[in-house]
Amino acid sequence: MSRFYVEPGQIEGNKIIIRGEDVNHIKNVLRMNIGDEVLISPGNGLVYTTRIESMTTEVVECLIVDCDGGKSELPARITLYQGMPKKDKMDLIVQKAVELGATRIVPVMMERTIVKLDDRRKEEKRLLRWRSISLTAAKQSGRDIIPEVSDFMTFKEAVSDASGNDFNLIPYENAKGMSFARETVAKASGKESIGIFIGPEGGITYEELELAENECGAASISLGHRILRTETAGLALLSVLMFNLDKE
């Protein structure tokens, strides 16, 4: 069943009003008709099963048939603190992180980050593109929420932000072996909020590691004997967490 996202203000009593580009998609791409059912979410975890009641060139009006909390979200909110990579790697990271269950993605400027933020307009353009990618990936993967792509943060700001999480992980090349990593990841079970720190191409410095360990209790773990690229490491850990946390 097709899924669409709306603003809470588009829910009016027992009806939901769809406007904008989705109207054309429903009418001319999907070729849906009066009586067809669609899933609609206001992006807050609720999912409405609806039936199309009327369509015009600008509006699709849907009657709410049922509502539940959805089943596609992990039991923990996961924030990916991603060291800003070069070129377009962040596009892939955002897309796949959303598919794997991340709730929030934060682009972080770290000591070894090569990309420089020297143009506010370019910065805003990047954020708009990543937020659009998050929306598209959420639709494609059937998410009940649209994961947030936050504004850029410094590493110090990210560590402060992560101090509010129940549990934080930071892959590091010199961390203890895989037995310790498995034991540590298992501790994520039952936690409501989890943070993952991933370094840029040059990795995380020892000073950054110490700051994360001391200020937000981040546990350093190994991801194995192979060296993973920055665009792979976070996705690998998200996959591990998904299998550990998703019990149904």
Side-chain angles (χ1 to χ4, degrees):
M1 194 181 302
S2 298
R3 181 184 298 248
F4 298 92
Y5 296 90
V6 298
E7 296 295 328
Q10 291 173 249
I11 303 173
E12 302 175 0
N14 65 342
K15 294 184 179 181
I16 300 178
I17 310 301
I18 298 176
R19 302 183 179 88
E21 295 179 357
D22 286 339
V23 173
N24 178 68
H25 191 72
I26 289 171
K27 292 183 62 179
N28 302 318
V29 178
L30 298 177
R31 298 185 181 277
M32 302 186 80
N33 299 302
I34 305 298
D36 287 344
E37 292 192 344
V38 295
L39 295 176
I40 300 177
S41 174
N44 60 2
L46 294 176
V47 179
Y48 295 92
T49 300
T50 71
R51 184 181 303 115
I52 297 176
E53 275 208 324
S54 66
M55 291 190 288
T56 69
T57 56
E58 297 181 352
V59 170
V60 175
E61 190 173 281
C62 301
L63 178 69
I64 295 173
V65 176
D66 194 13
C67 175
D68 63 34
K71 298 178 181 179
S72 69
E73 297 306 309
L74 294 172
R77 301 183 305 277
I78 302 178
T79 298
L80 173 63
Y81 299 96
Q82 173 65 51
M84 186 62 189
K86 296 185 295 184
K87 300 182 179 178
D88 296 330
K89 293 178 183 178
M90 196 68 175
D91 293 9
L92 174 69
I93 292 169
V94 170
Q95 181 189 62
K96 300 309 176 186
V98 170
E99 291 178 18
L100 289 168
T103 307
R104 183 170 167 243
I105 300 106
V106 181
V108 183
M109 305 305 290
M110 298 185 180
E111 187 173 330
R112 292 174 176 166
T113 296
I114 296 172
V115 176
K116 303 300 180 185
L117 296 182
D118 51 13
D119 188 324
R120 183 63 183 176
R121 286 181 297 178
K122 287 183 179 179
E123 182 181 327
E124 290 295 334
K125 189 175 180 180
R126 284 183 180 133
L127 290 171
L128 285 173
R129 183 172 75 247
W130 297 333
R131 286 162 184 162
S132 176
I133 290 171
S134 176
L135 172 59
T136 301
K139 287 182 177 180
Q140 183 275 325
S141 56
R143 294 291 299 272
D144 300 333
I145 66 167
I146 304 169
E148 173 191 355
V149 178
S150 298
D151 290 343
F152 289 89
M153 290 186 187
T154 64
F155 188 75
K156 188 174 182 179
E157 288 171 335
V159 168
S160 177
D161 184 89
S163 65
N165 294 331
D166 295 333
F167 193 64
N168 291 297
L169 293 167
I170 182 165
Y172 188 66
E173 56 194 33
N174 294 324
K176 295 180 183 179
M178 293 305 291
S179 294
F180 176 79
R182 279 189 284 270
E183 292 172 4
T184 303
V185 169
K187 295 177 183 177
S189 182
K191 300 295 191 296
E192 293 185 0
S193 54
I194 300 169
I196 299 172
F197 286 90
I198 302 295
E201 284 84 357
I204 291 174
T205 66
Y206 184 72
E207 291 72 22
E208 288 172 329
L209 176 69
E210 278 194 320
L211 181 66
E213 289 177 334
N214 294 332
E215 298 297 325
C216 67
S220 59
I221 60 169
S222 170
L223 290 181
H225 301 293
R226 292 151 300 284
I227 297 174
L228 302 182
R229 293 177 182 269
T230 183
E231 65 269 33
T232 307
L235 304 182
L237 187 48
L238 275 168
S239 299
V240 171
L241 285 170
M242 178 183 69
F243 273 95
N244 277 274
L245 296 172
D246 207 343
K247 303 300 183 183
E248 294 186 9

